[in-house]
Amino acid sequence: MADRLPDGLVRGRLNGTGPVAVIDIGSNSIRLVVYERLARSPTVLFNEKVLAGLGRGLAATGRLAEGPERTALQALVRFRRLCDQIGVTDLHILATAATRDATNGSIFIAEVERICRTSVRVLTGRDEARLAALGIVSGIWRPEGIVGDLGGGSLELVELKHDEIGRGQTLPLGGIRLQEASDGKIARAQKLADDALSGVEWLPIGSDKTFYAVGGTWRSLARLHLHQNGYPLHVMHDYCIEAEEAIEFCQHVARRDPDSLDMIDVVSRARRQLLPFGATVMEKVLRRTKSARVVMSAMGLREGLLYDLMPEDTRRLDPLVAAARELSILRARSPDYGEELIAWTDRIFPAVGIDETEYERRLRAAGCLLSDIGWRAHPDYRGEQSLNIISNAGFVGIDHPGRAYLALSVFYRHQGLVEDALGPRIRELAHTRLKERARLLGGALRLASVLSASVAGILPRIGVEVQDGEMTIVLPGELAALEGERLAKRANQFGRLLGLKARISARP
C-alpha cells in the first residue's frame, strides 16, 4: 500500500513497544487511551470516554446500579474491539473507587475480564495516589508540592518532591459521592469537605508551593477559567492559576447554577452538574494547603502507570527534549542536523556571552530539534505554521512561558527577527528574559541555516571566535566557498542582537 513502508510500518508513526492501551474504570467515566508506544513523552493514538456514572447511588446502596453497570460493559465491548482494530500489543485495565467499594464489584470485574480478555487491576486508595503522583512526575518538570486527583468517588492527595513520593491520603470527596452525600446542597458539601480535610494533618506542607490538579472535573473547571479570561493558548496541561484567584473563581462557580455561567458551553453537559462540587473541593484544599498556585495536569493515573512500566534509563530522559526529538524525526529534513544544532549552540552561546539557566538550556535544546519541522510549508508561512504547531503541541515537561519561547524562536528562524507578522498574544505568555532569549536562539538558527542548508555534517566544522567586541565565523577548508552576501547579512543580524560586530573568516 502507498501509505506504508516496505516492511509494513506505518508512515507518520514511531515504532517500538506499542501500541499500548490503558482502560481506566472510574466512578464517573470509563476511558480508553491508546498510546503510540511506551515512551518518555507518550503520544495518544486514540482516546474515548463514556460517562457511565458507576459510582452513582453507591453510597446509599453499597452496590453498582444496573443501568450504569450496563452502560460501562457496553462501552468495554466497544473498547476491546477498538484495541483489536488498532493492533494493541499490551492492554492494561485499572479500576478505582466504585468497583473497589461496591459489594457486587467483584462480579462486575469478572465480567470486565471476560469481555476484555485480560486481568483487571483494582487499585487501592494508596495505589491511586501513587500512580497519580507518578503521572505528575512524568508530565511536569521537577514538581514540588501536593498532587490532588479528584475522581467521581474519591479524592487522592499525595505529597511530591521531584520524583520522591511522600505521604498520601484517600478521602470520600469525589464529585459524585460528594453530590449525593450532600443531597446536592453546596453548603452541606462545604461542611463535608472541611470535615474530611481537617483530618489530614500534613496538608500545610503545601504552603507556598504548587497544588497539581488531576481529574476530569477539575480540568473542566480550568477550561472554563481559561476561556472566560480569553487566554491565548487552549492547552490545559501546565495551565497555571494563582491560588487566590483560583479560590475566588471556585467560590463563584460553586454559588451559581452551572448553566448560567459565562462561557459554560466549553464544558460538556455531562460534566456540568459536578462542576460546583469540584469547585468546592478545590477551594477547601487550597485553603488547607495554603498553596501558592494551582497547576493543571493532563497527565494522571494512566500516564503514571506507563511511567511505572518504563525502564529506568527511559524514565531519566527529559520528556520535553524527547518529544521534540520525536517530532524532528517525523517532520524535519535532517533530524541529525537538529542534534548538531544543540551541540553548535552549546559552543556558541557561552562564547558570545549568553548565560542560561538549566531551564533555558533544555528549552534551547528543544528549540534546536524543532527548528526545521515547518520546512514543507510554503516559505511565507513556515514561521506561522511552526508557531501554531509548537504552541499547541502535546508536549509535557514544559510550562506555558516555555511554549511561547519555543514557538517564538522557531517563528523568528523562518520569518525573520521582526514582529510585524506576529500576533501579540503568544508573546504575552513569556517574560522579558525568555522573549530576549527566543530572539537570540532565532538569530542563531537563522545563521546556522545559511551555513548548513539545514543538513547534517557542516556545523561541527564551523567555529566561532569572539575577541575585542567582534564575532568571527570561521569557515575552514572547502567550507570557505560558503562565504557570501547572505551569510554576511545573517551573521550581522545575530551580531547586532549580541552587541558585537560580525565578520566571516575563510581559512582554506
Side-chain angles (χ1 to χ4, degrees):
M1 293 173 62
D3 63 339
R4 292 185 178 271
L5 299 170
D7 59 3
L9 301 178
V10 180
R11 293 184 187 274
R13 294 236 307 259
L14 295 170
N15 302 286
T17 53
V20 178
V22 181
I23 294 175
D24 177 6
I25 302 174
S27 299
N28 191 29
S29 65
I30 313 291
R31 185 182 291 271
L32 165 68
V33 184
V34 182
Y35 301 89
E36 181 183 47
R37 61 196 181 114
L38 194 61
R40 184 60 184 86
S41 182
T43 301
V44 174
L45 277 178
F46 185 84
N47 186 342
E48 183 172 301
K49 77 172 182 292
V50 173
L51 293 173
L54 273 178
R56 292 207 174 276
L58 180 61
T61 67
R63 295 176 58 82
L64 301 177
E66 183 178 340
E69 186 177 8
R70 183 167 56 250
T71 300
L73 292 175
Q74 288 172 345
L76 290 164
V77 169
R78 170 174 163 78
F79 288 174
R80 177 67 253 191
R81 176 58 193 168
L82 287 166
C83 287
D84 292 340
Q85 289 179 194
I86 294 169
V88 166
T89 60
D90 199 8
L91 171 61
H92 301 269
I93 306 179
L94 306 176
T96 56
T99 51
R100 181 173 69 231
D101 298 340
T103 57
N104 59 339
S106 60
I107 298 172
F108 172 76
I109 291 297
E111 183 64 8
V112 173
E113 292 181 336
R114 184 191 69 79
I115 290 169
C116 295
R117 308 193 303 275
T118 193
S119 61
V120 176
R121 180 179 172 187
V122 180
L123 301 177
T124 65
R126 182 182 294 272
D127 291 335
E128 285 194 62
R130 176 176 175 274
L131 290 181
L134 288 179
I136 297 296
V137 173
S138 175
I140 304 285
W141 181 248
R142 294 188 174 175
E144 184 172 0
I146 294 176
V147 178
D149 185 357
L150 183 71
S154 62
L155 168 68
E156 276 68 46
L157 296 169
V158 60
E159 179 186 6
L160 184 63
K161 183 174 182 180
H162 299 176
D163 59 353
E164 296 177 10
I165 299 173
R167 290 163 287 186
Q169 187 84 27
T170 296
L171 301 172
L173 295 177
I176 290 176
R177 181 173 292 188
L178 185 60
Q179 182 192 41
E180 294 183 346
S182 65
D183 293 324
K185 296 179 173 59
I186 290 299
R188 173 64 176 155
Q190 290 172 333
K191 176 69 164 55
L192 291 171
D194 266 333
D195 290 346
L197 290 164
S198 66
V200 188
E201 297 178 355
W202 53 268
L203 286 182
I205 64 97
S207 178
D208 294 325
K209 296 177 184 173
T210 300
F211 180 72
Y212 300 97
V214 181
T217 299
W218 277 348
R219 282 194 296 273
S220 295
L221 190 67
R223 185 176 296 108
L224 182 63
H225 181 274
L226 180 151
H227 281 272
Q228 284 188 358
N229 285 275
Y231 192 74
L233 279 186
H234 294 173
V235 174
M236 196 52 55
H237 188 69
D238 231 314
Y239 180 59
C240 181
I241 313 172
E242 294 303 310
E244 186 176 340
E245 181 181 350
I247 288 171
E248 184 176 338
F249 179 71
C250 287
Q251 289 176 321
H252 174 69
V253 170
R255 288 195 300 262
R256 296 278 297 275
D257 174 359
D259 286 333
S260 72
L261 292 168
D262 183 35
M263 306 291 288
I264 191 60
D265 286 345
V266 303
V267 177
S268 69
R269 288 195 174 276
R271 288 280 188 197
R272 291 179 197 176
Q273 59 181 322
L274 296 182
L275 214 55
F277 299 94
T280 295
V281 175
M282 179 172 283
E283 179 207 339
K284 297 302 182 182
V285 168
L286 292 177
R287 290 190 185 279
R288 291 279 179 177
T289 60
K290 301 186 187 305
S291 299
R293 68 198 65 84
V294 180
V295 167
M296 301 305 304
S297 175
M299 313 281 275
L301 202 71
R302 294 176 296 273
E303 291 75 21
L305 173 66
L306 295 186
Y307 184 82
D308 207 25
L309 294 172
M310 292 174 196
E312 180 61 31
D313 58 341
T314 302
R315 287 200 293 265
R316 284 197 298 266
L317 296 175
D318 184 324
L320 171 63
V321 175
R325 183 166 284 123
E326 290 183 351
L327 200 52
S328 175
I329 290 169
L330 292 170
R331 299 187 68 118
R333 276 172 284 199
S334 172
D336 288 342
Y337 170 67
E339 304 289 349
E340 289 182 357
L341 273 173
I342 298 174
W344 191 66
T345 53
D346 279 344
R347 288 191 288 123
I348 299 298
F349 274 38
V352 298
I354 302 173
D355 65 300
E356 294 177 295
T357 63
E358 181 185 8
Y359 168 75
E360 291 163 351
R361 283 193 295 274
R362 55 190 293 268
L363 289 181
R364 172 171 54 82
C368 289
L369 293 167
L370 296 169
S371 65
D372 199 39
I373 63 169
W375 74 275
R376 284 189 178 273
H378 186 282
D380 292 346
Y381 298 101
R382 286 173 184 165
E384 181 180 347
Q385 185 179 92
S386 298
L387 183 143
N388 288 331
I389 291 171
I390 293 168
S391 58
N392 294 287
F395 294 144
V396 296
I398 184 173
D399 56 12
H400 286 202
R403 283 179 179 271
Y405 165 96
L406 289 181
L408 290 170
S409 62
V410 180
F411 176 86
Y412 291 137
R413 176 260 181 267
H414 289 291
Q415 210 72 23
L417 303 177
V418 294
E419 310 293 337
D420 297 347
L422 180 63
R425 299 306 305 279
I426 190 71
R427 297 183 78 254
E428 293 173 6
L429 297 179
H431 52 72
T432 300
R433 180 181 169 96
L434 271 187
K435 284 185 282 195
E436 176 196 2
R437 273 153 181 74
R439 284 175 64 82
L440 289 170
L441 180 56
L445 296 176
R446 286 177 65 75
L447 174 58
S449 70
V450 295
L451 282 167
S452 64
S454 300
V455 297
I458 304 301
L459 289 181
R461 302 164 60 191
I462 294 174
V464 174
E465 299 171 355
V466 178
Q467 188 174 5
D468 298 329
E470 185 172 76
M471 175 183 69
T472 302
I473 309 297
V474 180
L475 304 178
E478 73 275 12
L479 297 185
L482 293 173
E483 189 173 9
E485 181 182 348
R486 193 166 186 230
L487 176 57
K489 181 178 178 181
R490 291 285 176 90
N492 285 327
Q493 284 179 334
F494 187 48
R496 281 195 296 271
L497 291 176
L498 301 163
L500 299 171
K501 293 182 179 179
R503 74 182 187 95
I504 311 299
S505 176
R507 300 176 186 176

